[in-house]
PDB file of all heavy atoms in Angstrom:
ATOM      1  N   CYS W 416      -3.084  -1.699  16.014  1.00 98.00           N
ATOM      2  CA  CYS W 416      -3.651  -0.459  16.652  1.00 98.00           C
ATOM      3  C   CYS W 416      -3.600  -0.597  18.193  1.00 98.00           C
ATOM      4  O   CYS W 416      -3.277   0.342  18.893  1.00 98.00           O
ATOM      5  CB  CYS W 416      -5.086  -0.151  16.190  1.00 98.00           C
ATOM      6  SG  CYS W 416      -5.171   0.456  14.495  1.00 98.00           S
ATOM      7  N   ALA W 417      -3.924  -1.831  18.688  1.00 97.00           N
ATOM      8  CA  ALA W 417      -3.788  -1.950  20.145  1.00 97.00           C
ATOM      9  C   ALA W 417      -2.480  -1.789  20.626  1.00 97.00           C
ATOM     10  O   ALA W 417      -2.165  -1.203  21.712  1.00 97.00           O
ATOM     11  CB  ALA W 417      -4.388  -3.366  20.535  1.00 97.00           C
ATOM     12  N   THR W 418      -1.422  -2.321  19.930  1.00 97.00           N
ATOM     13  CA  THR W 418      -0.053  -2.176  20.258  1.00 97.00           C
ATOM     14  C   THR W 418       0.339  -0.717  20.256  1.00 97.00           C
ATOM     15  O   THR W 418       1.119  -0.188  21.149  1.00 97.00           O
ATOM     16  CB  THR W 418       0.876  -3.016  19.171  1.00 97.00           C
ATOM     17  OG1 THR W 418       0.332  -4.419  19.381  1.00 97.00           O
ATOM     18  CG2 THR W 418       2.306  -3.041  19.752  1.00 97.00           C
ATOM     19  N   VAL W 419      -0.074   0.010  19.188  1.00 98.00           N
ATOM     20  CA  VAL W 419       0.388   1.438  19.116  1.00 98.00           C
ATOM     21  C   VAL W 419      -0.257   2.250  20.321  1.00 98.00           C
ATOM     22  O   VAL W 419       0.324   3.004  20.961  1.00 98.00           O
ATOM     23  CB  VAL W 419      -0.174   2.120  17.801  1.00 98.00           C
ATOM     24  CG1 VAL W 419       0.034   3.523  17.757  1.00 98.00           C
ATOM     25  CG2 VAL W 419       0.547   1.491  16.602  1.00 98.00           C
ATOM     26  N   ASN W 420      -1.510   1.901  20.598  1.00 98.00           N
ATOM     27  CA  ASN W 420      -2.207   2.444  21.759  1.00 98.00           C
ATOM     28  C   ASN W 420      -1.402   2.166  23.104  1.00 98.00           C
ATOM     29  O   ASN W 420      -1.220   3.055  23.885  1.00 98.00           O
ATOM     30  CB  ASN W 420      -3.558   2.068  21.907  1.00 98.00           C
ATOM     31  CG  ASN W 420      -4.434   2.977  22.875  1.00 98.00           C
ATOM     32  OD1 ASN W 420      -4.421   4.133  22.802  1.00 98.00           O
ATOM     33  ND2 ASN W 420      -5.135   2.319  23.719  1.00 98.00           N
ATOM     34  N   ALA W 421      -0.901   1.008  23.220  1.00 97.00           N
ATOM     35  CA  ALA W 421      -0.143   0.603  24.447  1.00 97.00           C
ATOM     36  C   ALA W 421       1.136   1.331  24.512  1.00 97.00           C
ATOM     37  O   ALA W 421       1.678   1.644  25.532  1.00 97.00           O
ATOM     38  CB  ALA W 421       0.085  -0.899  24.492  1.00 97.00           C
ATOM     39  N   VAL W 422       1.786   1.494  23.319  1.00 97.00           N
ATOM     40  CA  VAL W 422       3.060   2.231  23.235  1.00 97.00           C
ATOM     41  C   VAL W 422       2.824   3.565  23.610  1.00 97.00           C
ATOM     42  O   VAL W 422       3.583   4.269  24.419  1.00 97.00           O
ATOM     43  CB  VAL W 422       3.724   2.087  21.844  1.00 97.00           C
ATOM     44  CG1 VAL W 422       4.920   3.112  21.770  1.00 97.00           C
ATOM     45  CG2 VAL W 422       4.115   0.633  21.639  1.00 97.00           C
ATOM     46  N   LEU W 423       1.763   4.161  23.104  1.00 97.00           N
ATOM     47  CA  LEU W 423       1.542   5.634  23.337  1.00 97.00           C
ATOM     48  C   LEU W 423       1.051   6.008  24.714  1.00 97.00           C
ATOM     49  O   LEU W 423       1.454   6.967  25.384  1.00 97.00           O
ATOM     50  CB  LEU W 423       0.440   6.193  22.333  1.00 97.00           C
ATOM     51  CG  LEU W 423       0.832   6.284  20.875  1.00 97.00           C
ATOM     52  CD1 LEU W 423      -0.495   6.550  20.037  1.00 97.00           C
ATOM     53  CD2 LEU W 423       1.844   7.311  20.593  1.00 97.00           C
ATOM     54  N   HIS W 424       0.165   5.011  25.200  1.00 96.00           N
ATOM     55  CA  HIS W 424      -0.522   5.429  26.448  1.00 96.00           C
ATOM     56  C   HIS W 424      -0.393   4.498  27.641  1.00 96.00           C
ATOM     57  O   HIS W 424      -0.982   4.786  28.677  1.00 96.00           O
ATOM     58  CB  HIS W 424      -2.005   5.631  26.090  1.00 96.00           C
ATOM     59  CG  HIS W 424      -2.359   6.551  25.018  1.00 96.00           C
ATOM     60  ND1 HIS W 424      -1.988   7.899  25.128  1.00 96.00           N
ATOM     61  CD2 HIS W 424      -2.903   6.482  23.778  1.00 96.00           C
ATOM     62  CE1 HIS W 424      -2.357   8.511  23.997  1.00 96.00           C
ATOM     63  NE2 HIS W 424      -2.948   7.631  23.122  1.00 96.00           N
ATOM     64  N   GLU W 425       0.185   3.388  27.440  1.00 96.00           N
ATOM     65  CA  GLU W 425       0.391   2.421  28.509  1.00 96.00           C
ATOM     66  C   GLU W 425       1.886   1.962  28.780  1.00 96.00           C
ATOM     67  O   GLU W 425       2.117   0.979  29.556  1.00 96.00           O
ATOM     68  CB  GLU W 425      -0.372   1.248  28.199  1.00 96.00           C
ATOM     69  CG  GLU W 425      -1.907   1.581  28.038  1.00 96.00           C
ATOM     70  CD  GLU W 425      -2.747   0.404  27.388  1.00 96.00           C
ATOM     71  OE1 GLU W 425      -2.222  -0.646  27.159  1.00 96.00           O
ATOM     72  OE2 GLU W 425      -3.868   0.757  27.014  1.00 96.00           O
ATOM     73  N   GLY W 426       2.812   2.709  28.276  1.00 95.00           N
ATOM     74  CA  GLY W 426       4.205   2.515  28.580  1.00 95.00           C
ATOM     75  C   GLY W 426       4.919   1.316  27.963  1.00 95.00           C
ATOM     76  O   GLY W 426       5.995   0.935  28.363  1.00 95.00           O
ATOM     77  N   LEU W 427       4.254   0.659  27.033  1.00 97.00           N
ATOM     78  CA  LEU W 427       4.819  -0.516  26.339  1.00 97.00           C
ATOM     79  C   LEU W 427       6.064   0.032  25.615  1.00 97.00           C
ATOM     80  O   LEU W 427       5.978   0.983  24.883  1.00 97.00           O
ATOM     81  CB  LEU W 427       3.790  -1.109  25.342  1.00 97.00           C
ATOM     82  CG  LEU W 427       4.298  -2.354  24.626  1.00 97.00           C
ATOM     83  CD1 LEU W 427       4.630  -3.479  25.502  1.00 97.00           C
ATOM     84  CD2 LEU W 427       3.385  -2.775  23.505  1.00 97.00           C
ATOM     85  N   GLU W 428       7.214  -0.655  25.626  1.00 96.00           N
ATOM     86  CA  GLU W 428       8.399  -0.321  24.802  1.00 96.00           C
ATOM     87  C   GLU W 428       8.115  -0.710  23.393  1.00 96.00           C
ATOM     88  O   GLU W 428       7.683  -1.877  23.091  1.00 96.00           O
ATOM     89  CB  GLU W 428       9.630  -1.057  25.214  1.00 96.00           C
ATOM     90  CG  GLU W 428      10.167  -0.644  26.652  1.00 96.00           C
ATOM     91  CD  GLU W 428      10.692   0.858  26.569  1.00 96.00           C
ATOM     92  OE1 GLU W 428      11.222   1.188  25.568  1.00 96.00           O
ATOM     93  OE2 GLU W 428      10.564   1.519  27.605  1.00 96.00           O
ATOM     94  N   PRO W 429       8.464   0.209  22.320  1.00 95.00           N
ATOM     95  CA  PRO W 429       8.270  -0.108  20.972  1.00 95.00           C
ATOM     96  C   PRO W 429       8.840  -1.562  20.570  1.00 95.00           C
ATOM     97  O   PRO W 429       8.115  -2.365  19.856  1.00 95.00           O
ATOM     98  CB  PRO W 429       8.946   0.918  20.226  1.00 95.00           C
ATOM     99  CG  PRO W 429       8.889   2.106  21.125  1.00 95.00           C
ATOM    100  CD  PRO W 429       8.927   1.468  22.466  1.00 95.00           C
ATOM    101  N   ILE W 430      10.035  -1.863  20.968  1.00 94.00           N
ATOM    102  CA  ILE W 430      10.549  -3.123  20.552  1.00 94.00           C
ATOM    103  C   ILE W 430       9.797  -4.354  21.097  1.00 94.00           C
ATOM    104  O   ILE W 430       9.670  -5.376  20.425  1.00 94.00           O
ATOM    105  CB  ILE W 430      12.094  -3.188  20.954  1.00 94.00           C
ATOM    106  CG1 ILE W 430      12.787  -4.396  20.285  1.00 94.00           C
ATOM    107  CG2 ILE W 430      12.310  -3.233  22.530  1.00 94.00           C
ATOM    108  CD1 ILE W 430      13.195  -4.114  18.923  1.00 94.00           C
ATOM    109  N   GLU W 431       9.303  -4.168  22.351  1.00 95.00           N
ATOM    110  CA  GLU W 431       8.505  -5.230  22.871  1.00 95.00           C
ATOM    111  C   GLU W 431       7.098  -5.323  22.064  1.00 95.00           C
ATOM    112  O   GLU W 431       6.645  -6.427  21.867  1.00 95.00           O
ATOM    113  CB  GLU W 431       8.077  -4.907  24.358  1.00 95.00           C
ATOM    114  CG  GLU W 431       9.253  -5.173  25.319  1.00 95.00           C
ATOM    115  CD  GLU W 431       8.879  -4.635  26.765  1.00 95.00           C
ATOM    116  OE1 GLU W 431       7.671  -4.897  27.113  1.00 95.00           O
ATOM    117  OE2 GLU W 431       9.667  -4.011  27.344  1.00 95.00           O
ATOM    118  N   GLY W 432       6.607  -4.195  21.640  1.00 94.00           N
ATOM    119  CA  GLY W 432       5.369  -4.133  20.806  1.00 94.00           C
ATOM    120  C   GLY W 432       5.471  -4.955  19.589  1.00 94.00           C
ATOM    121  O   GLY W 432       4.711  -5.845  19.254  1.00 94.00           O
ATOM    122  N   ILE W 433       6.716  -4.803  18.884  1.00 92.00           N
ATOM    123  CA  ILE W 433       6.970  -5.552  17.670  1.00 92.00           C
ATOM    124  C   ILE W 433       7.074  -7.084  18.027  1.00 92.00           C
ATOM    125  O   ILE W 433       6.531  -7.905  17.266  1.00 92.00           O
ATOM    126  CB  ILE W 433       8.176  -5.078  17.009  1.00 92.00           C
ATOM    127  CG1 ILE W 433       8.023  -3.622  16.451  1.00 92.00           C
ATOM    128  CG2 ILE W 433       8.699  -5.997  15.833  1.00 92.00           C
ATOM    129  CD1 ILE W 433       9.241  -3.078  15.786  1.00 92.00           C
ATOM    130  N   GLN W 434       7.838  -7.451  19.046  1.00 92.00           N
ATOM    131  CA  GLN W 434       8.028  -8.873  19.383  1.00 92.00           C
ATOM    132  C   GLN W 434       6.607  -9.485  19.673  1.00 92.00           C
ATOM    133  O   GLN W 434       6.375 -10.604  19.286  1.00 92.00           O
ATOM    134  CB  GLN W 434       8.935  -8.967  20.595  1.00 92.00           C
ATOM    135  CG  GLN W 434      10.444  -8.791  20.157  1.00 92.00           C
ATOM    136  CD  GLN W 434      11.312  -8.395  21.245  1.00 92.00           C
ATOM    137  OE1 GLN W 434      10.958  -8.122  22.333  1.00 92.00           O
ATOM    138  NE2 GLN W 434      12.673  -8.275  20.975  1.00 92.00           N
ATOM    139  N   LEU W 435       5.807  -8.763  20.418  1.00 91.00           N
ATOM    140  CA  LEU W 435       4.427  -9.292  20.617  1.00 91.00           C
ATOM    141  C   LEU W 435       3.717  -9.580  19.325  1.00 91.00           C
ATOM    142  O   LEU W 435       3.048 -10.573  19.151  1.00 91.00           O
ATOM    143  CB  LEU W 435       3.669  -8.287  21.487  1.00 91.00           C
ATOM    144  CG  LEU W 435       4.080  -8.193  23.004  1.00 91.00           C
ATOM    145  CD1 LEU W 435       3.205  -7.034  23.673  1.00 91.00           C
ATOM    146  CD2 LEU W 435       3.661  -9.542  23.690  1.00 91.00           C
ATOM    147  N   LEU W 436       3.895  -8.598  18.363  1.00 92.00           N
ATOM    148  CA  LEU W 436       3.068  -8.829  17.122  1.00 92.00           C
ATOM    149  C   LEU W 436       3.694 -10.005  16.362  1.00 92.00           C
ATOM    150  O   LEU W 436       2.915 -10.683  15.719  1.00 92.00           O
ATOM    151  CB  LEU W 436       3.175  -7.463  16.290  1.00 92.00           C
ATOM    152  CG  LEU W 436       2.345  -6.343  16.765  1.00 92.00           C
ATOM    153  CD1 LEU W 436       2.578  -5.055  15.963  1.00 92.00           C
ATOM    154  CD2 LEU W 436       0.800  -6.624  16.794  1.00 92.00           C
ATOM    155  N   MET W 437       4.997 -10.125  16.329  1.00 91.00           N
ATOM    156  CA  MET W 437       5.630 -11.047  15.547  1.00 91.00           C
ATOM    157  C   MET W 437       5.450 -12.407  16.110  1.00 91.00           C
ATOM    158  O   MET W 437       5.595 -13.457  15.318  1.00 91.00           O
ATOM    159  CB  MET W 437       7.116 -10.830  15.427  1.00 91.00           C
ATOM    160  CG  MET W 437       7.420  -9.562  14.571  1.00 91.00           C
ATOM    161  SD  MET W 437       6.873  -9.506  12.803  1.00 91.00           S
ATOM    162  CE  MET W 437       7.866 -10.839  12.124  1.00 91.00           C
ATOM    163  N   THR W 438       5.290 -12.611  17.345  1.00 89.00           N
ATOM    164  CA  THR W 438       5.163 -14.001  17.976  1.00 89.00           C
ATOM    165  C   THR W 438       3.853 -14.342  18.352  1.00 89.00           C
ATOM    166  O   THR W 438       3.754 -15.348  19.074  1.00 89.00           O
ATOM    167  CB  THR W 438       6.204 -14.037  19.180  1.00 89.00           C
ATOM    168  OG1 THR W 438       5.816 -12.992  20.043  1.00 89.00           O
ATOM    169  CG2 THR W 438       7.609 -13.730  18.684  1.00 89.00           C
ATOM    170  N   ARG W 439       2.850 -13.729  17.803  1.00 90.00           N
ATOM    171  CA  ARG W 439       1.513 -14.273  18.119  1.00 90.00           C
ATOM    172  C   ARG W 439       1.350 -15.604  17.431  1.00 90.00           C
ATOM    173  O   ARG W 439       2.122 -15.986  16.438  1.00 90.00           O
ATOM    174  CB  ARG W 439       0.447 -13.315  17.537  1.00 90.00           C
ATOM    175  CG  ARG W 439       0.213 -11.962  18.428  1.00 90.00           C
ATOM    176  CD  ARG W 439      -0.695 -11.063  17.766  1.00 90.00           C
ATOM    177  NE  ARG W 439      -0.392 -10.816  16.439  1.00 90.00           N
ATOM    178  CZ  ARG W 439      -1.246 -10.754  15.398  1.00 90.00           C
ATOM    179  NH1 ARG W 439      -2.676 -10.934  15.631  1.00 90.00           N
ATOM    180  NH2 ARG W 439      -0.858 -10.400  14.213  1.00 90.00           N
ATOM    181  N   PRO W 440       0.402 -16.392  17.815  1.00 90.00           N
ATOM    182  CA  PRO W 440       0.291 -17.829  17.249  1.00 90.00           C
ATOM    183  C   PRO W 440       0.123 -17.724  15.709  1.00 90.00           C
ATOM    184  O   PRO W 440      -0.615 -16.789  15.225  1.00 90.00           O
ATOM    185  CB  PRO W 440      -0.986 -18.361  17.948  1.00 90.00           C
ATOM    186  CG  PRO W 440      -1.139 -17.597  19.161  1.00 90.00           C
ATOM    187  CD  PRO W 440      -0.596 -16.253  18.918  1.00 90.00           C
ATOM    188  N   PRO W 441       0.864 -18.584  15.021  1.00 90.00           N
ATOM    189  CA  PRO W 441       0.745 -18.553  13.504  1.00 90.00           C
ATOM    190  C   PRO W 441      -0.794 -18.735  13.189  1.00 90.00           C
ATOM    191  O   PRO W 441      -1.500 -19.532  13.884  1.00 90.00           O
ATOM    192  CB  PRO W 441       1.553 -19.778  13.143  1.00 90.00           C
ATOM    193  CG  PRO W 441       2.555 -19.905  14.244  1.00 90.00           C
ATOM    194  CD  PRO W 441       1.853 -19.628  15.561  1.00 90.00           C
ATOM    195  N   LYS W 442      -1.153 -18.225  12.064  1.00 92.00           N
ATOM    196  CA  LYS W 442      -2.608 -18.444  11.677  1.00 92.00           C
ATOM    197  C   LYS W 442      -2.690 -18.126  10.182  1.00 92.00           C
ATOM    198  O   LYS W 442      -1.767 -17.819   9.460  1.00 92.00           O
ATOM    199  CB  LYS W 442      -3.489 -17.390  12.483  1.00 92.00           C
ATOM    200  CG  LYS W 442      -3.148 -15.900  12.212  1.00 92.00           C
ATOM    201  CD  LYS W 442      -4.160 -15.025  12.881  1.00 92.00           C
ATOM    202  CE  LYS W 442      -4.074 -13.567  12.406  1.00 92.00           C
ATOM    203  NZ  LYS W 442      -5.251 -13.046  11.855  1.00 92.00           N
ATOM    204  N   ALA W 443      -3.893 -18.299   9.717  1.00 93.00           N
ATOM    205  CA  ALA W 443      -4.319 -18.065   8.314  1.00 93.00           C
ATOM    206  C   ALA W 443      -4.343 -16.493   8.168  1.00 93.00           C
ATOM    207  O   ALA W 443      -4.702 -15.732   9.100  1.00 93.00           O
ATOM    208  CB  ALA W 443      -5.523 -18.636   7.944  1.00 93.00           C
ATOM    209  N   GLU W 444      -4.184 -15.991   6.981  1.00 92.00           N
ATOM    210  CA  GLU W 444      -4.183 -14.549   6.758  1.00 92.00           C
ATOM    211  C   GLU W 444      -5.673 -14.204   6.527  1.00 92.00           C
ATOM    212  O   GLU W 444      -6.363 -14.760   5.623  1.00 92.00           O
ATOM    213  CB  GLU W 444      -3.440 -14.109   5.441  1.00 92.00           C
ATOM    214  CG  GLU W 444      -3.447 -12.671   5.291  1.00 92.00           C
ATOM    215  CD  GLU W 444      -2.464 -12.179   4.147  1.00 92.00           C
ATOM    216  OE1 GLU W 444      -2.587 -12.642   3.110  1.00 92.00           O
ATOM    217  OE2 GLU W 444      -1.729 -11.331   4.394  1.00 92.00           O
TER     218      GLU W 444
END
Side-chain angles (χ1 to χ4, degrees):
Chain W
C416 289
T418 303
V419 171
N420 194 49
V422 168
L423 291 171
H424 302 302
E425 295 161 14
L427 179 69
E428 289 294 329
I430 190 81
E431 287 173 39
I433 293 181
Q434 283 159 357
L435 284 174
L436 288 173
M437 292 298 291
T438 56
R439 286 178 305 137
K442 64 173 192 117
E444 184 173 55

